[in-house]
């Protein structure tokens, strides 16, 4: 699986997992989401520039917000990451 696709899947899953309606325990949910996102980022090529690099930076920043259970900020960054992943995907095509 390509780095862009793996990160895109992780971002979508984490976005779904941190919706307010889904979180019965925000702290453990945020920590699980952070772990999932960090796992996806660990397999990514960190030397990447352009839209994929921007997406990775947004996802890494979202991890930091998830660590402190700052869900609104994390969601905003994840939406930005998703937008950059769409751009990266379009650039590959």
């Amino acid at each position: 699986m390509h780095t862009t696709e793996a990160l895109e899947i992780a971002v979508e899953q984490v976005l779904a997992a941190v919706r307010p309606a889904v979180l019965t325990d925000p702290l453990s949910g945020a920590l699980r989401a952070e772990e999932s996102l960090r796992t996806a980022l660990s397999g990514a090529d960190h030397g990447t520039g352009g839209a994929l690099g921007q997406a990775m930076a947004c996802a890494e920043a979202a991890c930091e917000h998830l660590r402190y259970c700052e869900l609104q900020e994390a969601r905003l960054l994840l939406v930005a990451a998703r937008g950059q992943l769409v751009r990266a995907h379009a650039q590959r095509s």
Side-chain angles (χ1 to χ4, degrees):
M1 181 179 295
H2 192 271
T3 300
T4 307
E5 294 165 351
L7 187 56
E8 187 173 10
I9 289 168
V11 165
E12 291 298 331
Q13 289 174 340
V14 170
L15 263 172
V18 296
R19 288 189 339 232
V22 172
L23 289 172
T24 55
D25 179 3
L27 181 59
S28 66
L31 293 176
R32 279 193 309 274
E34 177 196 2
E35 183 180 331
S36 171
L37 198 51
R38 286 204 188 275
T39 299
L41 285 166
S42 70
D45 179 13
H46 290 277
T48 304
L52 181 55
Q54 290 294 319
M56 291 171 55
C58 288
E60 288 173 356
C63 284
E64 290 302 310
H65 286 287
L66 288 168
R67 173 180 290 158
Y68 297 104
C69 207
E70 299 168 342
L71 300 178
Q72 186 173 355
E73 293 85 350
R75 282 192 295 270
L76 180 64
L77 286 160
L78 290 167
V79 169
R82 182 172 54 190
Q84 292 300 320
L85 287 165
V86 168
R87 283 186 55 220
H89 185 67
Q91 290 172 355
R92 278 191 322 142
S93 299

XYZ file of all heavy atoms in Angstrom:
679
model
N 0.850 -1.174 0.000
C 0.000 0.000 0.000
C 0.897 1.238 0.000
O 1.874 1.306 0.717
C -0.905 -0.017 1.236
C -1.850 1.160 1.291
S -2.949 1.138 2.721
C -3.926 -0.302 2.382
N 0.561 2.222 -0.788
C 1.316 3.458 -0.905
C 1.160 4.289 0.372
O 0.137 4.236 1.048
C 0.807 4.246 -2.129
C 1.690 5.376 -2.490
N 1.530 6.621 -1.941
C 2.750 5.460 -3.319
C 2.453 7.427 -2.437
N 3.202 6.747 -3.265
N 2.180 5.054 0.715
C 2.178 5.888 1.916
C 0.959 6.785 1.978
O 0.323 6.917 3.022
C 3.455 6.755 1.958
O 4.590 5.904 1.976
C 3.479 7.646 3.173
N 0.600 7.395 0.862
C -0.543 8.295 0.827
C -1.819 7.562 1.195
O -2.620 8.053 1.986
C -0.689 8.927 -0.577
O 0.551 9.529 -0.949
C -1.785 9.965 -0.610
N -1.994 6.379 0.638
C -3.212 5.605 0.909
C -3.280 5.154 2.360
O -4.328 5.231 2.993
C -3.281 4.404 -0.029
C -3.461 4.799 -1.479
C -3.171 3.653 -2.443
O -2.672 2.596 -2.000
O -3.440 3.829 -3.626
N -2.163 4.690 2.911
C -2.141 4.232 4.303
C -2.446 5.379 5.259
O -3.224 5.228 6.205
C -0.789 3.617 4.629
N -1.855 6.532 5.003
C -2.100 7.688 5.857
C -3.536 8.179 5.701
O -4.182 8.553 6.681
C -1.101 8.799 5.553
C -1.126 10.004 6.481
C -0.939 9.588 7.939
C -0.054 11.005 6.072
N -4.038 8.145 4.472
C -5.416 8.561 4.223
C -6.402 7.687 5.000
O -7.330 8.196 5.630
C -5.716 8.496 2.727
C -7.055 9.066 2.348
C -7.232 9.135 0.838
O -6.404 8.576 0.089
O -8.214 9.750 0.412
N -6.184 6.395 4.996
C -7.055 5.470 5.738
C -6.985 5.768 7.234
O -8.006 5.840 7.920
C -6.668 4.010 5.434
C -7.071 3.667 3.997
C -7.326 3.059 6.428
C -6.484 2.355 3.497
N -5.779 5.973 7.742
C -5.607 6.257 9.173
C -6.299 7.563 9.559
O -6.975 7.630 10.587
C -4.131 6.308 9.529
N -6.135 8.590 8.741
C -6.765 9.891 9.026
C -8.282 9.742 9.057
O -8.948 10.237 9.973
C -6.314 10.961 8.007
C -7.208 12.193 8.051
C -4.861 11.345 8.264
N -8.840 9.043 8.075
C -10.291 8.845 8.034
C -10.778 8.063 9.252
O -11.807 8.398 9.845
C -10.703 8.128 6.748
C -10.540 8.957 5.490
C -11.406 10.213 5.465
O -12.489 10.237 6.079
O -10.975 11.183 4.817
N -10.049 7.026 9.633
C -10.450 6.217 10.787
C -10.381 7.024 12.075
O -11.267 6.935 12.925
C -9.579 4.971 10.890
C -9.868 3.963 9.812
C -8.902 2.782 9.835
O -7.811 2.861 10.394
N -9.303 1.695 9.210
N -9.341 7.817 12.225
C -9.197 8.622 13.436
C -10.257 9.714 13.474
O -10.855 9.976 14.520
C -7.773 9.201 13.555
C -7.674 10.220 14.670
C -6.770 8.069 13.785
N -10.531 10.339 12.340
C -11.598 11.342 12.293
C -12.934 10.743 12.736
O -13.670 11.353 13.508
C -11.738 11.912 10.877
C -11.022 13.221 10.599
C -11.088 13.558 9.124
C -11.570 14.340 11.439
N -13.222 9.554 12.268
C -14.468 8.890 12.659
C -14.455 8.527 14.135
O -15.477 8.621 14.823
C -14.689 7.644 11.811
N -13.291 8.143 14.648
C -13.188 7.689 16.038
C -13.305 8.825 17.049
O -13.686 8.585 18.190
C -11.870 6.952 16.241
N -12.967 10.044 16.654
C -12.988 11.153 17.615
C -14.189 12.074 17.441
O -14.192 13.181 17.963
C -11.662 11.963 17.595
C -10.500 11.100 18.031
C -11.408 12.591 16.251
N -15.206 11.590 16.766
C -16.450 12.366 16.690
C -17.065 12.407 18.078
O -17.080 11.394 18.794
C -17.436 11.733 15.715
C -17.059 11.890 14.272
C -18.175 11.441 13.344
N -19.114 10.529 13.988
C -19.472 9.353 13.512
N -18.977 8.932 12.378
N -20.327 8.589 14.132
N -17.609 13.549 18.479
C -18.197 13.652 19.823
C -19.269 12.602 20.096
O -19.358 12.090 21.212
C -18.796 15.058 19.847
C -18.009 15.815 18.836
C -17.631 14.814 17.771
N -20.064 12.251 19.105
C -21.142 11.276 19.307
C -20.602 9.869 19.549
O -21.285 9.034 20.138
C -22.069 11.269 18.095
N -19.377 9.603 19.137
C -18.793 8.266 19.244
C -18.044 8.076 20.567
O -18.005 6.978 21.102
C -17.834 8.017 18.054
C -17.067 6.725 18.213
C -18.597 8.028 16.753
N -17.490 9.145 21.085
C -16.615 9.037 22.252
C -17.411 8.934 23.552
O -17.979 9.903 24.023
C -15.686 10.252 22.330
C -14.597 10.309 21.280
C -13.877 11.642 21.358
C -13.615 9.179 21.469
N -17.447 7.753 24.123
C -18.054 7.597 25.441
C -17.022 7.914 26.519
O -17.362 8.405 27.586
C -18.594 6.165 25.641
O -17.535 5.245 25.391
C -19.745 5.894 24.704
N -15.761 7.643 26.234
C -14.660 7.976 27.133
C -13.638 8.769 26.315
O -12.767 8.179 25.661
C -14.037 6.699 27.696
C -12.872 6.979 28.625
O -12.573 8.157 28.895
O -12.259 6.007 29.085
N -13.749 10.104 26.321
C -12.883 10.917 25.453
C -11.389 10.696 25.665
O -10.640 10.669 24.703
C -13.273 12.353 25.809
C -14.660 12.242 26.317
C -14.722 10.916 27.032
N -10.957 10.505 26.899
C -9.530 10.350 27.151
C -8.976 9.080 26.518
O -8.013 9.118 25.758
C -9.236 10.355 28.655
C -7.762 10.212 29.025
C -6.934 11.334 28.408
C -7.600 10.196 30.526
N -9.595 7.935 26.784
C -9.071 6.693 26.201
C -9.270 6.677 24.691
O -8.431 6.169 23.958
C -9.706 5.466 26.852
O -11.081 5.399 26.555
N -10.367 7.258 24.213
C -10.598 7.330 22.767
C -9.546 8.167 22.074
O -9.037 7.801 21.013
N -9.189 9.291 22.678
C -8.168 10.167 22.096
C -6.808 9.475 22.092
O -6.059 9.575 21.127
C -8.104 11.481 22.865
N -6.501 8.766 23.165
C -5.207 8.084 23.235
C -5.112 6.934 22.239
O -4.069 6.723 21.620
C -4.939 7.600 24.659
C -4.737 8.719 25.691
C -4.567 8.148 27.088
C -3.582 9.625 25.315
N -6.210 6.198 22.048
C -6.222 5.135 21.029
C -6.072 5.744 19.637
O -5.363 5.212 18.784
C -7.504 4.321 21.114
C -7.490 3.268 22.202
C -8.641 2.274 22.064
N -9.949 2.899 21.922
C -10.723 3.294 22.937
N -10.312 3.126 24.178
N -11.898 3.844 22.709
N -6.745 6.865 19.397
C -6.662 7.531 18.098
C -5.237 8.022 17.846
O -4.712 7.886 16.741
C -7.657 8.694 18.044
N -4.610 8.587 18.877
C -3.228 9.054 18.737
C -2.304 7.894 18.382
O -1.473 7.991 17.477
C -2.747 9.705 20.039
C -1.296 10.135 19.960
C -0.662 10.413 21.302
O -1.315 10.240 22.345
O 0.525 10.786 21.291
N -2.461 6.783 19.069
C -1.622 5.612 18.815
C -1.798 5.112 17.379
O -0.826 4.797 16.685
C -1.972 4.506 19.804
C -1.114 3.276 19.660
C -1.493 2.187 20.651
O -1.987 2.519 21.747
O -1.302 1.012 20.307
N -3.032 5.068 16.922
C -3.320 4.614 15.564
C -2.682 5.532 14.530
O -2.079 5.078 13.547
C -4.837 4.559 15.375
O -5.168 4.322 14.037
N -2.795 6.828 14.753
C -2.239 7.797 13.812
C -0.712 7.749 13.828
O -0.069 7.792 12.779
C -2.747 9.192 14.168
C -2.641 10.279 13.126
C -3.232 9.846 11.786
C -3.334 11.545 13.614
N -0.125 7.614 15.003
C 1.344 7.523 15.097
C 1.868 6.270 14.396
O 2.926 6.296 13.773
C 1.797 7.543 16.543
C 1.688 8.913 17.164
C 2.617 9.085 18.336
N 2.351 10.336 19.012
C 2.868 11.505 18.644
N 3.666 11.569 17.601
N 2.589 12.603 19.317
N 1.122 5.180 14.480
C 1.518 3.950 13.787
C 1.549 4.180 12.279
O 2.493 3.771 11.600
C 0.550 2.802 14.141
O 0.620 2.575 15.548
C 0.905 1.527 13.397
N 0.525 4.843 11.757
C 0.486 5.136 10.317
C 1.625 6.066 9.925
O 2.248 5.890 8.871
C -0.855 5.756 9.942
N 1.920 7.034 10.770
C 2.993 7.974 10.463
C 4.367 7.319 10.539
O 5.277 7.715 9.813
C 2.936 9.170 11.417
C 1.826 10.175 11.128
C 1.645 11.115 12.312
C 2.122 10.951 9.855
N 4.520 6.319 11.389
C 5.826 5.675 11.535
C 6.235 4.938 10.268
O 7.416 4.769 10.002
C 5.832 4.719 12.727
O 5.033 3.591 12.465
N 5.264 4.513 9.471
C 5.573 3.818 8.226
C 5.699 4.742 7.038
O 5.970 4.303 5.930
N 5.526 6.042 7.271
C 5.555 7.006 6.167
C 6.973 7.514 5.924
O 7.811 7.516 6.824
C 4.620 8.172 6.483
N 7.209 7.961 4.707
C 8.496 8.529 4.313
C 8.535 9.984 4.758
O 7.879 10.840 4.180
C 8.669 8.424 2.796
C 9.971 9.028 2.316
O 10.849 9.308 3.159
O 10.112 9.222 1.099
N 9.311 10.279 5.797
C 9.336 11.622 6.369
C 10.153 12.607 5.545
O 10.166 13.791 5.870
C 9.829 11.578 7.813
C 8.826 10.922 8.719
N 7.761 11.593 9.241
C 8.715 9.652 9.144
C 7.035 10.768 9.974
N 7.593 9.578 9.921
N 10.785 12.173 4.493
C 11.520 13.079 3.632
C 10.644 13.643 2.521
O 11.110 14.359 1.656
N 9.373 13.309 2.562
C 8.454 13.707 1.509
C 8.103 15.181 1.630
O 7.833 15.671 2.709
C 7.167 12.860 1.598
O 7.544 11.495 1.534
C 6.230 13.161 0.469
N 8.072 15.860 0.507
C 7.677 17.266 0.494
C 6.303 17.415 -0.130
O 5.574 16.444 -0.300
N 5.957 18.615 -0.467
C 4.693 18.889 -1.150
C 3.487 18.590 -0.285
O 3.517 18.691 0.947
N 2.408 18.223 -0.960
C 1.133 17.995 -0.282
C 1.211 16.846 0.719
O 0.648 16.937 1.815
C 0.034 17.738 -1.311
N 1.925 15.774 0.387
C 2.047 14.654 1.321
C 2.811 15.082 2.573
O 2.435 14.729 3.696
C 2.723 13.452 0.663
C 2.883 12.209 1.541
C 1.539 11.753 2.116
C 3.538 11.084 0.752
N 3.850 15.857 2.405
C 4.599 16.373 3.545
C 3.732 17.248 4.437
O 3.806 17.174 5.671
N 2.886 18.075 3.807
C 1.963 18.925 4.570
C 0.950 18.070 5.323
O 0.611 18.348 6.472
C 1.246 19.915 3.648
C 2.145 20.990 3.088
C 2.658 21.913 4.175
O 1.929 22.295 5.070
N 3.930 22.266 4.101
N 0.451 17.026 4.670
C -0.511 16.124 5.312
C 0.118 15.452 6.519
O -0.510 15.339 7.578
C -1.011 15.082 4.311
N 1.355 15.023 6.375
C 2.043 14.369 7.479
C 2.268 15.345 8.628
O 2.098 14.984 9.798
C 3.352 13.771 6.990
C 3.120 12.581 6.069
S 4.602 11.974 5.248
C 5.674 11.670 6.615
N 2.612 16.587 8.313
C 2.819 17.587 9.359
C 1.514 17.843 10.116
O 1.514 17.955 11.344
C 3.357 18.884 8.752
N 0.413 17.934 9.383
C -0.896 18.136 10.025
C -1.251 16.940 10.904
O -1.753 17.109 12.027
C -1.982 18.351 8.977
S -1.900 19.945 8.137
N -0.993 15.740 10.423
C -1.310 14.536 11.188
C -0.443 14.451 12.441
O -0.929 14.076 13.511
C -1.130 13.292 10.316
N 0.827 14.816 12.326
C 1.704 14.803 13.502
C 1.241 15.825 14.527
O 1.242 15.549 15.736
C 3.147 15.061 13.077
C 3.758 13.881 12.354
C 5.134 14.167 11.772
O 5.614 15.322 11.848
O 5.736 13.227 11.235
N 0.828 16.994 14.077
C 0.315 18.013 14.997
C -0.988 17.531 15.644
O -1.216 17.769 16.836
C 0.100 19.327 14.258
N -1.809 16.842 14.879
C -3.048 16.290 15.431
C -2.741 15.284 16.534
O -3.449 15.231 17.550
C -3.878 15.639 14.330
N -1.689 14.505 16.370
C -1.282 13.550 17.408
C -1.001 14.270 18.720
O -1.393 13.796 19.793
C -0.028 12.789 16.974
S -0.319 11.505 15.764
N -0.320 15.391 18.638
C -0.004 16.144 19.856
C -1.289 16.628 20.541
O -1.395 16.578 21.763
C 0.911 17.323 19.540
C 2.304 16.913 19.157
C 2.996 16.087 20.231
O 2.995 16.499 21.413
O 3.532 15.012 19.899
N -2.238 17.083 19.760
C -3.508 17.532 20.349
C -4.287 16.357 20.928
O -4.929 16.499 21.973
C -4.340 18.298 19.319
C -3.796 19.668 19.054
N -3.911 20.697 19.955
C -3.121 20.159 17.993
C -3.335 21.782 19.459
N -2.838 21.481 18.268
N -4.230 15.221 20.267
C -4.911 14.037 20.803
C -4.295 13.616 22.133
O -5.006 13.187 23.042
C -4.859 12.882 19.793
C -5.737 13.053 18.570
C -5.393 12.019 17.512
C -7.216 12.975 18.941
N -2.995 13.752 22.242
C -2.308 13.383 23.482
C -2.884 14.145 24.675
O -2.982 13.624 25.783
C -0.818 13.670 23.367
C -0.076 13.462 24.691
C 1.386 13.746 24.583
N 1.979 12.701 23.770
C 3.123 12.831 23.116
N 3.794 13.950 23.189
N 3.601 11.851 22.402
N -3.284 15.394 24.444
C -3.820 16.221 25.527
C -5.344 16.312 25.479
O -5.930 17.169 26.126
C -3.184 17.614 25.473
C -1.695 17.532 25.697
C -0.807 17.661 24.638
C -1.183 17.267 26.961
C 0.565 17.555 24.841
C 0.178 17.154 27.176
C 1.043 17.306 26.107
O 2.398 17.187 26.311
N -5.943 15.424 24.700
C -7.400 15.329 24.588
C -8.029 16.630 24.066
O -9.139 16.987 24.444
C -8.005 14.910 25.932
S -9.572 14.052 25.738
N -7.312 17.316 23.207
C -7.809 18.533 22.566
C -8.432 18.117 21.234
O -7.826 18.224 20.175
C -6.669 19.532 22.375
C -6.049 19.962 23.687
C -4.748 20.729 23.534
O -4.111 20.664 22.452
O -4.361 21.379 24.504
N -9.643 17.605 21.347
C -10.274 16.944 20.214
C -10.647 17.900 19.089
O -10.501 17.565 17.913
C -11.493 16.167 20.686
C -11.188 15.082 21.714
C -12.467 14.404 22.164
C -10.209 14.079 21.161
N -11.139 19.070 19.420
C -11.535 20.015 18.371
C -10.332 20.411 17.523
O -10.409 20.442 16.295
C -12.189 21.248 18.978
C -12.750 22.195 17.938
C -13.548 23.326 18.569
O -13.756 23.361 19.771
N -13.993 24.243 17.749
N -9.220 20.701 18.169
C -8.012 21.071 17.439
C -7.499 19.903 16.594
O -7.076 20.079 15.456
C -6.918 21.530 18.419
C -7.225 22.818 19.137
C -8.065 22.642 20.405
O -8.594 21.529 20.649
O -8.200 23.624 21.151
N -7.549 18.708 17.175
C -7.100 17.521 16.440
C -7.969 17.292 15.205
O -7.444 17.005 14.119
C -7.135 16.292 17.341
N -9.284 17.425 15.365
C -10.170 17.235 14.199
C -9.882 18.251 13.107
O -9.855 17.911 11.923
C -11.633 17.311 14.639
C -12.128 16.049 15.305
C -13.643 16.045 15.466
N -14.111 17.087 16.361
C -14.266 16.942 17.674
N -13.993 15.785 18.249
N -14.711 17.929 18.417
N -9.647 19.505 13.498
C -9.335 20.541 12.509
C -8.073 20.180 11.723
O -8.038 20.290 10.496
C -9.171 21.889 13.214
C -8.845 23.082 12.330
C -9.997 23.358 11.370
C -8.574 24.300 13.177
N -7.059 19.721 12.427
C -5.816 19.332 11.765
C -5.997 18.085 10.905
O -5.385 17.964 9.836
C -4.712 19.114 12.798
C -4.159 20.412 13.387
C -3.461 20.158 14.704
C -3.232 21.085 12.388
N -6.826 17.167 11.341
C -7.085 15.963 10.546
C -7.838 16.293 9.263
O -7.570 15.708 8.216
C -7.845 14.934 11.374
C -7.020 14.289 12.492
C -7.926 13.538 13.454
C -5.951 13.383 11.914
N -8.755 17.249 9.337
C -9.460 17.683 8.125
C -8.469 18.343 7.165
O -8.505 18.115 5.952
C -10.632 18.624 8.477
C -11.191 19.298 7.236
C -11.727 17.847 9.197
N -7.546 19.141 7.710
C -6.504 19.750 6.869
C -5.623 18.677 6.251
O -5.272 18.750 5.061
C -5.667 20.723 7.698
N -5.269 17.660 7.033
C -4.454 16.552 6.508
C -5.195 15.845 5.387
O -4.601 15.512 4.351
C -4.114 15.565 7.625
N -6.492 15.628 5.569
C -7.281 14.955 4.538
C -7.265 15.766 3.247
O -7.107 15.205 2.157
C -8.711 14.747 5.024
C -9.577 14.014 4.023
C -10.915 13.651 4.573
N -11.618 14.800 5.109
C -12.730 14.724 5.827
N -13.250 13.558 6.133
N -13.311 15.808 6.267
N -7.393 17.077 3.356
C -7.337 17.933 2.162
C -6.001 17.840 1.450
O -5.943 17.776 0.216
N -4.924 17.824 2.219
C -3.595 17.701 1.613
C -3.397 16.324 0.986
O -2.734 16.189 -0.047
C -2.511 17.981 2.656
C -2.467 19.417 3.115
C -2.204 20.384 1.974
O -1.400 20.137 1.078
N -2.908 21.497 1.996
N -3.979 15.297 1.589
C -3.884 13.952 1.005
C -4.632 13.874 -0.313
O -4.180 13.199 -1.247
C -4.416 12.914 1.990
C -3.478 12.655 3.174
C -4.214 11.910 4.279
C -2.254 11.906 2.731
N -5.742 14.571 -0.418
C -6.473 14.624 -1.692
C -5.586 15.280 -2.748
O -5.490 14.802 -3.880
C -7.813 15.386 -1.522
C -8.438 15.702 -2.866
C -8.767 14.576 -0.672
N -4.911 16.374 -2.363
C -4.000 17.032 -3.302
C -2.855 16.104 -3.687
O -2.468 16.036 -4.865
C -3.420 18.295 -2.675
C -4.388 19.452 -2.656
C -3.762 20.747 -2.167
N -2.577 21.075 -2.949
C -1.462 21.577 -2.413
N -1.360 21.783 -1.127
N -0.437 21.862 -3.183
N -2.284 15.388 -2.720
C -1.168 14.475 -3.006
C -1.618 13.366 -3.948
O -0.879 12.992 -4.855
C -0.634 13.877 -1.697
N -2.827 12.868 -3.722
C -3.355 11.817 -4.582
C -3.550 12.336 -6.008
O -3.219 11.654 -6.980
C -4.668 11.288 -4.011
C -5.233 10.130 -4.768
N -4.623 8.898 -4.815
C -6.349 10.039 -5.526
C -5.329 8.097 -5.567
N -6.369 8.748 -6.013
N -4.055 13.551 -6.137
C -4.273 14.149 -7.456
C -2.942 14.379 -8.174
O -2.846 14.212 -9.392
C -5.041 15.452 -7.321
N -1.919 14.731 -7.440
C -0.605 14.966 -8.041
C 0.033 13.675 -8.536
O 0.808 13.683 -9.475
C 0.316 15.648 -7.026
C -0.081 17.079 -6.731
C 0.702 17.680 -5.584
O 1.491 17.013 -4.916
N 0.484 18.961 -5.354
N -0.308 12.538 -7.888
C 0.237 11.247 -8.313
C -0.421 10.753 -9.588
O 0.160 9.992 -10.340
C 0.034 10.182 -7.232
C 1.029 10.191 -6.152
C 0.951 8.982 -5.276
N -0.412 8.548 -5.027
C -0.804 7.282 -4.953
N 0.059 6.331 -5.110
N -2.056 6.966 -4.712
N -1.666 11.147 -9.785
C -2.440 10.632 -10.935
C -2.005 11.241 -12.232
O -1.457 12.230 -12.383
C -3.917 10.921 -10.737
O -4.381 10.285 -9.570
